């Protein structure tokens, strides 16, 4: 009694709803940032995940494994990191930390925010169109766009970092700084969010200045969680459309674009941009004085991750035990697909997008579970918000 639980600042006593980053106007700006982040995430899928060179601020590349380097334990550590990230991201997308979803006002506030990021069938086509257009634009105007995207990404990743740590700091401080303050242009914001802002921007600026791989991973992880908790899928129909379009997108821009544009557009853009759109893992058996990395693009985590988030929500709504549910099947398929990709790339150094393995690795297990449970028609149409409201009321 007397304790407060929040959905980004939901006051259980007074019933007032605060968004994590402030007023509705702030959230509109945040979702614009999500759209920009979507484009950048799409750009992250450029060729083999282990041997992709990326530019640095000083013009020297982040050093990845050479063709002389064989399979490394870091190749499989990437799979573990991706899996852990997806488990956390899906859990947080299902229920925010420290929130009692049995309280109707909390649940309604969260559903209102979640539905704002609901991806529809037509949105999946717009995703590929916008991403492809942005890819071509950056390809032809690399020098100008590189500066602009770095600035935009600093803002987006700062917001994402704040979104990641806000509920934990709010809990640690016993909600002492949850009251709203008026901020010019942005409107009302929780005081804690305002206090966090300089630290979050400082992390982004520090990454720009140092290109530290640790800061890179912190910002990349923040962006993954921000995306998975801000955008969601609610049907297999939309998920299939998104993943199959992403599959074709990868195939075209990695393997076919060079015959049209004279160069591999995807690889050219990925090597010319240096923003935290990948997670870097140092090689264990690297040789030489410079640190070498294996990496995975955010698109290889986020896009299949949206299906995994839907799988966890559906398991929860149907009260399915995790061992025999949709999420477990998809997670196993994801890990198997990514492991095969890492093995092929690490051993044979063949250029290939990871989505070739991840799309069938997640869609096929999900479909098989639905078929075996005789729920294929139900998952195809998906979860309706009315039913979901009722189902998620219990913790």
């Amino acid at each position: 009694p007397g304790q407060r639980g929040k959905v980004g600042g939901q006051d259980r006593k007074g019933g007032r709803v605060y968004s994590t980053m402030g007023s509705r106007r702030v959230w509109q700006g945040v979702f614009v940032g999500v759209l920009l982040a979507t484009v950048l995430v799409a750009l992250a899928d450029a060729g083999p995940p282990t041997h992709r060179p990326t530019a640095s601020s000083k013009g020297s590349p982040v050093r990845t494994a050479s063709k002389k380097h064989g399979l490394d334990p870091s190749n499989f550590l990437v799979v573990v990191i991706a899996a852990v990230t997806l488990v956390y991201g899906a859990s947080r997308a299902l229920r925010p930390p420290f929130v009692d979803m049995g309280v109707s006002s909390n649940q309604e506030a969260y559903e209102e925010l979640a539905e704002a990021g609901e991806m529809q069938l037509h949105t999946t086509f717009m995703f590929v169109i916008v991403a492809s257009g942005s890819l071509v634009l950056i390809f032809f105007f690399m020098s100008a766009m590189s500066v602009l995207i770095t600035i935009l990404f600093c803002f987006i990743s700062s917001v994402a970092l704040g979104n990641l740590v806000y509920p934990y700091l709010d809990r640690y401080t016993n909600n002492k700084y949850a009251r709203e303050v008026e901020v010019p242009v942005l409107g009302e914001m929780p005081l804690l969010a305002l206090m966090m802002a300089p630290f979050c921007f400082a992390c982004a600026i520090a990454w720009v200045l140092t290109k530290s791989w640790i800061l890179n991973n912190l910002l990349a992880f923040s962006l993954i969680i921000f995306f998975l908790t801000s955008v969601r899928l609610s049907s297999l129909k939309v998920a299939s459309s998104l993943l199959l379009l992403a599959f074709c997108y990868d195939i075209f821009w990695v393997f076919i674009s060079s015959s049209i544009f004279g160069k591999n557009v995807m690889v050219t853009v990925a090597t010319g941009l240096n923003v935290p759109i990948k997670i870097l893992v140092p090689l264990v058996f690297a040789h030489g004085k410079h640190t070498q990395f294996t990496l995975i693009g955010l698109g290889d985590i986020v896009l299949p991750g949206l299906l995994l988030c839907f799988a966890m929500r559906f398991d929860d709504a149907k009260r399915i035990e995790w061992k025999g549910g949709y999420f477990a099947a998809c997670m196993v398929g994801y890990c198997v697909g990514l492991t095969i990709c890492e093995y092929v790339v690490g051993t044979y150094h063949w250029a290939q997008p990871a989505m070739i393995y991840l799309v069938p690795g997640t869609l096929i297990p999900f479909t098989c579970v639905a078929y075996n449970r005789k729920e294929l028609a139900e998952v195809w149409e998906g979860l309706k918000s009315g039913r979901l409201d009722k189902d998620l009321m219990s913790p």
Side-chain angles (χ1 to χ4, degrees), residues 73-86 334-335 338-339:
S74 295
N75 291 100
F76 302 107
L77 183 57
V78 164
V79 179
V80 175
I81 291 172
V84 171
T85 300
L86 286 174
Y334 178 87
C335 292
L338 187 56
T339 299

Side-chain angles (χ1 to χ4, degrees), residues 38-46 131 134-135 138 249 266 269-270 273 277:
T38 301
V39 175
L40 291 171
V41 165
L43 298 179
D45 287 344
S134 302
L135 200 64
I138 296 170
Y249 171 91
M266 181 77 87
V269 170
L273 288 177
I277 51 176

Side-chain angles (χ1 to χ4, degrees), residues 55 119 132 223 230 254 264 365-366:
M119 185 172 281
S132 298
L223 183 59
S230 301
V254 173
N264 188 314
F366 190 104

Side-chain angles (χ1 to χ4, degrees), residues 103-340:
V103 178
S104 60
S105 56
N106 285 352
Q107 188 269 338
E108 289 170 4
Y110 179 66
E111 276 300 304
E112 183 180 351
L113 290 176
E115 287 178 8
E118 188 83 42
M119 185 172 281
Q120 305 297 331
L121 187 62
H122 67 273
T123 314
T124 63
F125 290 91
M126 288 302 299
F127 171 86
V128 174
I129 293 171
V130 172
S132 298
S134 302
L135 200 64
V136 173
L137 188 65
I138 296 170
F139 176 74
F140 285 110
F141 303 100
M142 177 69 70
S143 57
M145 294 297 293
S146 180
V147 176
L148 176 62
I149 289 176
T150 299
I151 294 172
L152 290 175
F153 204 91
C154 284
F155 169 74
I156 296 167
S157 58
S158 298
V159 173
L161 180 59
N163 178 75
L164 177 68
V165 302
Y166 182 94
Y168 300 101
L169 287 178
D170 193 40
R171 174 82 168 192
Y172 180 75
T173 57
N174 294 317
N175 315 120
K176 291 180 181 178
Y177 305 103
R179 68 180 184 277
E180 287 187 337
V181 294
E182 186 71 26
V183 179
V185 181
L186 298 178
E188 292 184 336
M189 291 182 66
L191 179 59
L192 180 60
L194 192 62
M195 294 167 62
M196 288 167 50
F199 169 78
C200 295
F201 280 107
C203 287
I205 297 301
W207 171 82
V208 171
L209 297 177
T210 65
K211 292 299 186 289
S212 164
W213 68 271
I214 297 176
L215 288 175
N216 173 93
N217 289 353
L218 174 63
L219 297 177
F221 178 79
S222 301
L223 183 59
I224 292 170
I225 303 306
F226 181 56
F227 194 100
L228 293 179
T229 55
S230 301
V231 179
R232 75 178 186 181
L233 308 174
S234 289
S235 72
L236 181 60
K237 175 170 59 179
V238 177
S240 299
S241 175
L242 175 65
L243 290 177
L244 291 174
L245 285 172
F247 180 89
C248 296
Y249 171 91
D250 262 5
I251 296 295
F252 177 82
W253 290 111
V254 173
F255 295 117
I256 304 175
S257 62
S258 57
S259 62
I260 299 174
F261 295 91
K263 289 182 179 180
N264 188 314
V265 175
M266 181 77 87
V267 173
T268 301
V269 170
T271 56
L273 288 177
N274 186 20
V275 287
I277 51 176
K278 66 271 182 185
I279 288 180
L280 299 168
V281 181
L283 296 176
V284 175
F285 300 133
H287 303 288
K289 60 180 180 179
H290 299 287
T291 304
Q292 298 179 38
F293 298 92
T294 182
L295 58 89
I296 180 171
L298 265 60
D300 298 332
I301 300 177
V302 166
L303 297 182
L306 291 174
L307 176 61
L308 285 159
C309 289
F310 169 56
M312 182 175 283
R313 289 174 59 232
F314 197 86
D315 283 345
D316 186 80
K318 300 289 287 185
R319 306 294 191 267
I320 302 173
E321 296 226 353
W322 70 271
K323 289 183 180 179
Y326 292 88
F327 181 80
C330 287
M331 178 56 72
V332 170
Y334 178 87
C335 292
V336 170
L338 187 56
T339 299
I340 294 173

